[in-house]
Amino acid sequence: MSVHALFSNTKTVLFIFTICFCSAIYGQNAPSSTVINSPQVNLKEGSVVSELIATDSDRKTSLDDTFSLGKGYLVQVPENHPTIPTSYSGSFAGVPNNGTMHIDLKAGYNLVENPYPSAINVHDFINSNPSTTGTLYFLKKNNKDDAATSYATLTKTAYVSNGAKDEDSFIGYFEPGNESNWFIKMSQGFFVNAATESQLIFTNSMRRISRVNPNFENSQNDAPNKGLYWLNLKNDDGAYSQMAVGYSAEGTMAEDQGIDGRNINLDFYLTSLIDSVDYAIQGRAAFTATDIVPLSYKVVTSGNYTIAIDHAAGIFNNDSQTIYIKDIVNHKLHNLKTGAYSFYSKAGAFADRFEIVNEQR
């Protein structure tokens, strides 16, 4: 006996609105929008979509083609779509995907998707796929977000936004302290990084019933037995980058699969460092007040910038535990709990100017 289903969804999108997406229906034809077949792409900041559309016309999927199982696609609205935010509807009819699935991966970054007509659990997915780094990257860009970085980042430690307006709630739900319910929504596409040619596995045991939380990022408030904080780098023109640091029994001071997430935004970023490598998300060992977290950042223009706490959880979500930023160049120590730290920077990448400390020194 076969089961058929019909899924319909409406989303408000912009003219140059690009998402990573696929179908949870077996044999589903491509919708009447621009679909770029991209099993593996070069993750260069701000250029993935434009490069594929401009130079890889042979990768475009026609309306007669079907989505490949577990493979992600870059989807852009039709060229005649209005330039203002406008609803765009799609329907998917057929046999829902089900059961265990193995997806071939090339060494490097691969664009994949949640193949099920249901959410999948983040921790179960990462733990079941040790051939990857355990970091998930979500491409979110549109013509209103020129200042936003291209990729949001997710590990078992935290979710880090790229600042694309109103898009985080469409990906999933990631509330610290409620890790068993973290999920990625149906048909959501994302990038994974494989060390070698291998296979990605999806199983029915990963599947979950989605919880609705349209503003999950702001719900990340309480994380028992751990501490987390998110920092934002901004300028007056709206450029935006976010990073996170978390402390738990799982973390170490080295790179840990599924815990730490390397930064892949290249033109504008704020990160922490592990052995001189940039991380958008870093999970560290149990917290001590003497811990020092070295930071790195890159800006493309000289000017005034701010670093501020976006939100915090666990031991950092109260006034008793301070978070100081130390400006080594200007010999300043600033308590970020009292407000943003403002500074002037020349254009370039800098890995020796800032540190996060938790006591005055």
Side-chain angles (χ1 to χ4, degrees):
M1 180 180 70
S2 63
V3 177
H4 285 68
L6 172 65
F7 297 93
S8 297
N9 191 24
T10 299
K11 179 173 175 57
T12 301
V13 296
L14 298 165
F15 171 57
I16 306 178
F17 178 87
T18 306
I19 57 174
C20 297
F21 174 81
C22 197
S23 172
I25 297 294
Y26 177 78
Q28 172 69 45
N29 283 2
S32 56
S33 58
T34 302
V35 180
I36 300 95
N37 179 353
S38 51
Q40 187 181 39
V41 296
N42 181 16
L43 295 186
K44 292 200 298 183
E45 164 66 36
S47 65
V48 171
V49 176
S50 60
E51 283 187 353
L52 287 171
I53 292 176
T55 64
D56 287 355
S57 58
D58 60 319
R59 291 191 177 188
K60 289 188 179 180
T61 298
S62 73
L63 300 182
D64 296 326
D65 292 332
T66 57
F67 286 114
S68 297
L69 181 66
K71 184 167 67 176
Y73 295 78
L74 300 180
V75 181
Q76 188 178 49
V77 296
E79 293 182 1
N80 60 355
H81 191 77
T83 56
I84 61 174
T86 305
S87 294
Y88 187 77
S89 299
S91 296
F92 301 85
V95 180
N97 292 326
N98 187 41
T100 299
M101 305 177 194
H102 295 86
I103 312 302
D104 290 334
L105 298 178
K106 296 180 180 180
Y109 291 96
N110 296 258
L111 178 52
V112 299
E113 59 109 14
N114 170 12
Y116 297 118
S118 62
I120 58 172
N121 182 270
V122 172
H123 286 229
D124 286 352
F125 171 79
I126 292 174
N127 291 337
S128 298
N129 289 285
S131 65
T132 74
T133 62
T135 304
L136 283 57
Y137 300 98
F138 301 90
L139 173 64
K140 303 184 302 174
K141 293 295 285 186
N142 64 52
N143 58 324
K144 297 297 184 182
D145 289 325
D146 291 338
T149 51
S150 293
Y151 300 98
T153 308
L154 172 67
T155 69
K156 293 189 294 183
T157 300
Y159 170 84
V160 165
S161 175
N162 75 326
K165 300 176 179 65
D166 304 321
E167 292 308 312
D168 288 338
S169 61
F170 290 98
I171 294 175
Y173 173 84
F174 319 111
E175 181 182 359
N178 194 21
E179 284 83 355
S180 63
N181 286 318
W182 284 15
F183 69 74
I184 302 166
K185 290 189 175 181
M186 61 179 289
S187 298
Q188 176 64 52
F190 52 93
F191 292 92
V192 295
N193 187 8
T196 61
E197 288 190 5
S198 54
Q199 284 193 322
L200 200 67
I201 187 171
F202 293 93
T203 65
N204 280 345
S205 64
M206 300 177 185
R207 299 174 67 175
R208 298 292 189 274
I209 298 174
S210 300
R211 292 179 52 185
V212 177
N213 186 344
N215 196 21
F216 66 79
E217 189 179 5
N218 289 334
S219 73
Q220 297 180 6
N221 294 320
D222 299 308
N225 303 318
K226 64 174 64 176
L228 289 146
Y229 57 83
W230 289 255
L231 301 181
N232 297 338
L233 172 66
K234 297 182 180 180
N235 70 0
D236 293 338
D237 296 324
Y240 176 97
S241 176
Q242 186 175 92
M243 56 157 279
V245 174
Y247 294 86
S248 73
E250 286 186 285
T252 71
M253 296 307 180
E255 181 179 13
D256 302 301
Q257 193 267 351
I259 302 296
D260 304 303
R262 293 196 182 201
N263 169 63
I264 61 172
N265 291 302
L266 301 181
D267 288 341
F268 183 86
Y269 59 75
L270 174 67
T271 67
S272 62
L273 294 171
I274 301 177
D275 295 330
S276 301
V277 178
D278 293 299
Y279 285 80
I281 301 169
Q282 183 178 164
R284 296 170 74 85
F287 175 76
T288 62
T290 58
D291 190 39
I292 299 175
V293 181
L295 302 186
S296 174
Y297 74 95
K298 182 179 180 179
V299 295
V300 294
T301 59
S302 300
N304 295 314
Y305 295 87
T306 62
I307 295 176
I309 298 172
D310 185 89
H311 57 299
I315 60 174
F316 297 107
N317 195 29
N318 55 64
D319 294 333
S320 62
Q321 182 55 63
T322 53
I323 302 174
Y324 293 101
I325 186 167
K326 183 178 181 180
D327 188 334
I328 299 170
V329 172
N330 290 334
H331 307 288
K332 292 183 178 180
L333 187 69
H334 175 78
N335 184 357
L336 290 173
K337 288 288 188 77
T338 65
Y341 179 68
S342 300
F343 65 99
Y344 175 85
S345 177
K346 296 180 179 179
F350 304 91
D352 54 3
R353 178 168 179 177
F354 293 121
E355 295 176 339
I356 295 296
V357 297
N358 301 107
E359 57 185 9
Q360 294 192 31
R361 59 180 67 197

